[in-house]
Structures are given as C-alpha cells and as structure tokens.
Amino acid sequence: MYINITKSETGDNKGSSGTLVHYLEKENRMQPENAMENKPERWFNGTANDIKPHEVRMGIDRNVAKLGRDDSKFFLINVSPSQKELAHLVSKYGEDVAREKLKEFATRVMDEYARNFKRPGIESHKDLLWFGKLENHRYYGHNDREVKSGQKRKGERKEGRQMHVQIIVSRKDITNTVKLSPQNTSRGGNKAHSQKLGQFDRTAFKQSGETLFDELFDFERNLKDSLQYANTMKKGTAQQKAQMHTLTELTERHPQGQPLAMELAHDVAQGMFESVGDMLATTGSMAADLLGLLLAPVEGAGEQQNPIEEEEKRRKRKKKAQSRGVRR
C-alpha cells in the first residue's frame, strides 16, 4: 500500500487548486477506448459521490481564512494499492464493486488522517474539507525509465491494474477556522507548535492505512510486503535487519508462521530487541512457537543453516573482532 502526501502534482499548493483539479480530470477528457469508459468518474467526499470539478475548486479555494500568500492552501494525498492488493479486491468484489470499495477505503483513510493530528474536534473525515477522485490508470511520464530509453512514449498507459485515488484536502478544517498541516512532523515534541497546528506522524498515518486495508478486506499481507519490513530494511540498524531477516526466513520456510512473524515485526521495527536471541527470549509463550517453527525441518529443502545459529555466529565474530581491537 502506497500512501503519500505531497504539495501537488502540478508543483504548487500556495494558490488556487484549479490547475490541480483540471489535471486530475484528465481521464474524463480522454477519448474512451470502449463503451465501458463513457461514464465520467466524479469526485466524492464521504457524503456525496457526484461532485463537479468546479465545486471542488471553489470549495478548496474559499477555505483559506487567515492563510497568507506563502502558506500552503491544500495538500494532495495519493492512495495507491499494490498490484497484489488490487487483484485481491477485484477477485473478492469484481471490477465495478472494487472501485466503490476503494472509494470507501479512501474515506476511512481520511478518518485516520484527521485522527493523526490529535486535535480536539478533528476526529473524522467529516471534520475535514476534502475531495477524492478515483483514477483507473497511470500514464508514463518523461521521467520514467521506459520513456527515456524509447520503449514507451509519454502519455501511454502503464500495464497492469493501476486503480488509485487522489485526494485534495484543505489546509483548513471544514469550519475554516483550524489550521491543519501534515508538514508539521513534530509528533508532539514541540508543544506550542503542535497546539497551534496539530502534530502529524506520517509513518503512523501510512501504517494505519495499510492495517485498515488488511482488516477491511481480509487481506493476508506477506511480511515482505509490509511497511514495517520496508522501513526496517531501509533505515533500521544491523540488529533490526538481522531480526527481520530471521522473521522472513520463518515465513518463507513455514507460511503458517506469517501471523506470528507480523506481530513480532512490529516490535522489531520499534527497536525493542537487541538481537535475534533477545527477540525470542522476550516474547513469552510466542518464543516457543517461533523457535519450534524455525527449528522444524523443511521437506525437500536439504541442509539449511539455521538463522538462529547464523545470528549467534555473527555475534561471536563481532565480539572476537572487538576484543582484538582492544588488544591492539
């Protein structure tokens, strides 16, 4: 699940939203390739599903009380399920219903967006001024590798399922009195600033969207497809990466251990364990289950090095190297 917050795909969010609204209407302006695409895709906001483009522009542009010339007036939220997630939706509901389910999901994402500010009175999407637009396709741009190499032309459709939702949300709440900015990433550290603008934890917001999708649509997410895994392998310590590697070993060798691994991955991402051994020792009854799965033989796999033994060897090598450094 890819959820991202930007200023605007058109590069400017300090003036009118008209350029962005016009840009997001691109599919409705294109010549339909078949009769199924004759119906234009309208804007929605959790209470209405047939909102016209000019109503979006006027709503956002008028909701700017006490914002200066250089202040952000709105933000763009991109809610893009992965190919696996889209395939799951279509398999579960069919193409047409899947579109409506994705809109419902986007509305729930905006509930999480509101709650993430942790401000009294900002509790759900109804407290925000926002408009969503479902897009069925993505298109190659001049920065794409395929366009630069000449394999594709700018404007061509990208392959596979590309359904996603773009959301324009006002900087001000629905009453046009409260400033809300996802650019404030203090997470409560600066109390005075947070009291004025709210606080916003982007990682927590993205994680809430992933969790929400899994719960709403009964999606069984693989550990390697999770935000926790991606963030840990990109930004985590060597110890965290080793622990996450052990958990992926578990899920690859024993798929039935996926729920247990996902539960432990959360704590790994939070840096709660110093080593794989510590991860096992501090998980109570789960440790025995995890240890049993890791030590269980894998039919047809031949001889494989046990990840726990590997971790222990790494620790001994590191300790030995450190002791040699001290003697020098």
Side-chain angles (χ1 to χ4, degrees):
M1 175 62 63
Y2 179 80
I3 299 178
N4 192 36
I5 305 173
T6 61
K7 294 179 180 179
S8 167
E9 282 199 12
T10 57
D12 182 23
N13 70 339
K14 296 180 180 179
S16 172
S17 63
T19 302
L20 177 58
V21 173
H22 178 78
Y23 172 78
L24 294 178
E25 279 286 307
K26 57 185 179 294
E27 285 191 357
N28 289 340
R29 295 192 300 272
M30 290 180 177
Q31 182 68 31
E33 294 183 1
N34 56 62
M36 293 298 293
E37 295 182 339
N38 280 325
K39 184 179 179 181
E41 191 68 57
R42 297 299 186 189
W43 295 77
F44 65 96
N45 65 357
T47 56
N49 290 298
D50 193 26
I51 303 173
K52 306 296 191 298
H54 73 275
E55 295 175 309
V56 176
R57 176 183 57 78
M58 291 172 61
I60 296 293
D61 289 357
R62 291 175 177 175
N63 205 61
V64 294
K66 296 184 179 180
L67 291 178
R69 177 184 299 179
D70 296 326
D71 290 332
S72 296
K73 309 300 190 301
F74 56 88
F75 299 96
L76 179 68
I77 302 177
N78 185 340
V79 181
S80 297
S82 67
Q83 294 281 326
K84 289 182 181 179
E85 290 164 337
L86 288 174
H88 177 76
L89 278 183
V90 172
S91 175
K92 190 177 180 69
Y93 300 107
E95 291 280 354
D96 292 337
V97 177
R99 291 187 178 90
E100 297 307 311
K101 290 296 182 181
L102 188 54
K103 292 179 184 179
E104 293 174 12
F105 171 68
T107 300
R108 295 286 296 274
V109 167
M110 294 311 291
D111 286 334
E112 298 298 329
Y113 179 85
R115 284 192 281 266
N116 199 278
F117 286 103
K118 296 179 173 59
R119 294 200 63 173
I122 310 298
E123 308 293 343
S124 75
H125 75 273
K126 295 180 181 179
D127 301 311
L128 307 170
L129 181 68
W130 66 279
F131 301 94
K133 177 74 161 53
L134 185 142
E135 295 189 315
N136 293 287
H137 310 288
R138 287 191 180 280
Y139 307 88
Y140 285 102
H142 65 276
N143 286 326
D144 285 316
R145 182 179 65 255
E146 294 85 351
V147 174
K148 291 180 178 179
S149 66
Q151 295 176 309
K152 298 290 182 180
R153 291 180 298 173
K154 179 183 175 181
E156 279 190 58
R157 282 185 184 177
K158 291 188 175 182
E159 298 78 6
R161 290 191 173 94
Q162 299 289 347
M163 187 166 57
H164 61 285
V165 174
Q166 302 273 29
I167 299 169
I168 304 177
V169 58
S170 175
R171 167 78 177 274
K172 302 296 290 291
D173 75 325
I174 192 72
T175 68
N176 201 13
T177 58
V178 180
K179 291 181 181 180
L180 301 168
S181 175
Q183 292 177 320
N184 173 27
T185 57
S186 68
R187 303 184 186 182
N190 186 329
K191 292 184 179 180
H193 193 62
S194 295
Q195 186 174 6
K196 183 179 179 181
L197 298 177
Q199 55 181 286
F200 201 88
D201 186 333
R202 289 197 177 210
T203 300
F205 172 56
K206 294 176 182 180
Q207 183 61 61
S208 68
E210 180 180 286
T211 302
L212 181 64
F213 185 93
D214 297 350
E215 293 176 350
L216 281 178
F217 305 121
D218 298 320
F219 182 70
E220 295 183 3
R221 185 176 304 278
N222 292 327
L223 177 58
K224 281 193 173 181
D225 295 328
S226 69
L227 179 64
Q228 292 175 152
Y229 177 86
N231 281 347
T232 300
M233 300 311 287
K234 182 179 180 180
K235 303 176 182 178
T237 64
Q239 291 81 4
Q240 286 175 301
K241 292 177 181 179
Q243 294 157 31
M244 197 66 78
H245 175 72
T246 298
L247 293 178
T248 56
E249 286 276 328
L250 164 70
T251 59
E252 289 172 1
R253 297 175 64 197
H254 305 281
Q256 70 272 28
Q258 187 77 240
L260 177 60
M262 289 292 287
E263 189 172 346
L264 285 171
H266 172 75
D267 292 339
V268 170
Q270 298 298 314
M272 295 184 65
F273 311 120
E274 293 185 0
S275 65
V276 172
D278 185 44
M279 178 179 70
L280 292 173
T282 58
T283 52
S285 61
M286 287 194 300
D289 296 334
L290 180 59
L291 184 60
L293 285 170
L294 287 171
L295 294 177
V298 180
E299 185 176 351
E303 288 191 21
Q304 296 187 18
Q305 188 67 45
N306 187 281
I308 299 176
E309 294 175 357
E310 275 287 294
E311 171 66 10
E312 186 62 28
K313 287 182 179 180
R314 281 194 292 268
R315 290 180 64 190
K316 288 181 179 178
R317 286 195 296 267
K318 182 178 179 181
K319 187 175 182 180
K320 189 175 182 180
Q322 288 175 340
S323 63
R324 285 177 177 174
V326 170
R327 286 196 296 269
R328 289 175 186 173

